[in-house]
Amino acid sequence: MHGLIQINAFHQSPTLIALRAWLQSHSGIGYRFLASLGFCTDELNQLRNAIKNIICINNLSDRCFQIKDPFDQIGSKKVIIVGSGPSLSLNIKALSDLRESFFIVASGSSISTLLKNGIQPDVLCILERSYSIYTALLELSKKHSDLCDVHLIMSVTADWRISQLFDSFQYFDRPLSLASSVIGRLFTPEVELMGPEAVNASLEYLITKNLSTAILLGCDFGSISQSEYRSELVYD
């Protein structure tokens, strides 16, 4: 524990013993301090990514950014939000057979399962800021050249290198993040809650598009199997 020196008395009273136990417990100030370090680190990393994403935009041509919104092309298709839960694998053939009837919004790692089953989604939504998301998508792009044809919608706080893997993309703000507080809100639409998972972000983004109906697939609340808690072929 940095910055806090604990001095133990030779004769400790029951009160002091109880206080010491609380300081060292998961509910005590020491554990809370260490937990807050993780939160602060995450926020600072998000701020760093946001700054790099903004710099990246300034270096790109208009061909890559500010393109026609793909949601304007939905027409009569049904919108389906795809998560990476185990029910995706169970229904992947049905989704493939009905592909032309759906406007598919892939959430996070579900893009892997879809592409490996020959299904190209219309949109991919990325929320998490971790660099591992970029490395997973980079490996996926080496195996599936059509990944770049998917339209990317991504949090401005996500890894700045992700957008370079796609021919077209949009950012969205996370108003509750440190990045929005420091830099300001630069993108529309704004999605207030945005999370905690990519599938939540997909749904919230669609709400900003005034879409009243969407089908959910792979958006499972849990799994009865500890070995099959997500869809097959996820970033394998």
Side-chain angles (χ1 to χ4, degrees):
M1 188 183 303
H2 300 285
L4 181 63
I5 300 176
Q6 182 176 300
I7 300 176
N8 298 323
F10 183 76
H11 298 289
Q12 294 186 359
S13 69
T15 302
L16 288 177
I17 293 174
L19 175 61
R20 180 183 179 186
W22 176 77
L23 287 172
Q24 297 177 343
S25 71
H26 283 188
S27 61
I29 189 172
Y31 187 84
R32 294 181 185 182
F33 173 73
L34 292 176
S36 69
L37 290 179
F39 174 79
C40 292
T41 300
D42 186 58
E43 288 289 334
L44 290 174
N45 282 324
Q46 289 187 42
L47 175 60
R48 172 178 173 270
N49 284 341
I51 292 173
K52 287 199 170 187
N53 276 318
I54 293 170
I55 294 173
C56 182
I57 291 172
N58 293 330
N59 294 332
L60 290 175
S61 66
D62 292 337
R63 178 182 63 83
C64 299
F65 189 64
Q66 299 294 349
I67 69 162
K68 185 176 180 181
D69 193 333
F71 290 95
D72 295 336
Q73 306 169 29
I74 293 177
S76 60
K77 291 183 177 180
K78 296 179 180 179
V79 177
I80 182 167
I81 299 174
V82 180
S84 55
S87 64
L88 173 58
S89 297
L90 296 175
N91 296 279
I92 196 70
K93 186 178 185 306
L95 179 61
S96 179
D97 293 341
L98 299 171
R99 170 64 185 93
E100 298 305 316
S101 302
F102 292 122
F103 182 91
I104 300 178
V105 179
S107 305
S109 59
S110 67
I111 182 70
S112 178
T113 302
L114 292 174
L115 290 180
K116 290 173 182 177
N117 282 278
I119 302 173
Q120 185 188 72
D122 298 280
V123 170
L124 168 64
C125 180
I126 295 294
L127 174 67
E128 293 84 358
R129 64 119 189 124
S130 173
Y131 73 92
S132 63
I133 305 298
Y134 165 73
T135 55
L137 288 172
L138 178 62
E139 291 303 311
L140 191 64
S141 69
K142 295 176 181 178
K143 300 175 183 178
H144 301 274
S145 59
D146 54 345
L147 174 67
C148 64
D149 297 326
V150 179
H151 181 76
L152 172 69
I153 55 174
M154 182 179 87
S155 167
V156 71
T157 60
D159 193 304
W160 62 278
R161 297 170 295 178
I162 293 176
S163 61
Q164 299 179 4
L165 303 176
F166 297 83
D167 289 340
S168 63
F169 62 91
Q170 293 171 270
Y171 291 119
F172 55 77
D173 279 319
R174 300 183 68 177
L176 300 181
S177 70
L178 174 64
S180 290
S181 299
V182 174
I183 300 174
R185 302 183 184 186
L186 303 178
F187 306 99
T188 56
E190 295 178 358
V191 186
E192 291 295 334
L193 298 179
M194 192 50 62
E197 305 292 343
V199 69
N200 301 89
S202 297
L203 179 59
E204 291 183 65
Y205 193 92
L206 288 174
I207 291 174
T208 68
K209 296 296 180 180
N210 297 319
L211 295 173
S212 59
T213 303
I215 300 171
L216 303 180
L217 177 62
C219 305
D220 306 312
F221 291 101
S223 172
I224 60 175
S225 172
Q226 294 185 1
S227 61
E228 298 178 359
Y229 55 88
R230 62 190 314 180
S231 61
E232 298 175 356
L233 305 178
V234 173
Y235 292 155
D236 60 354

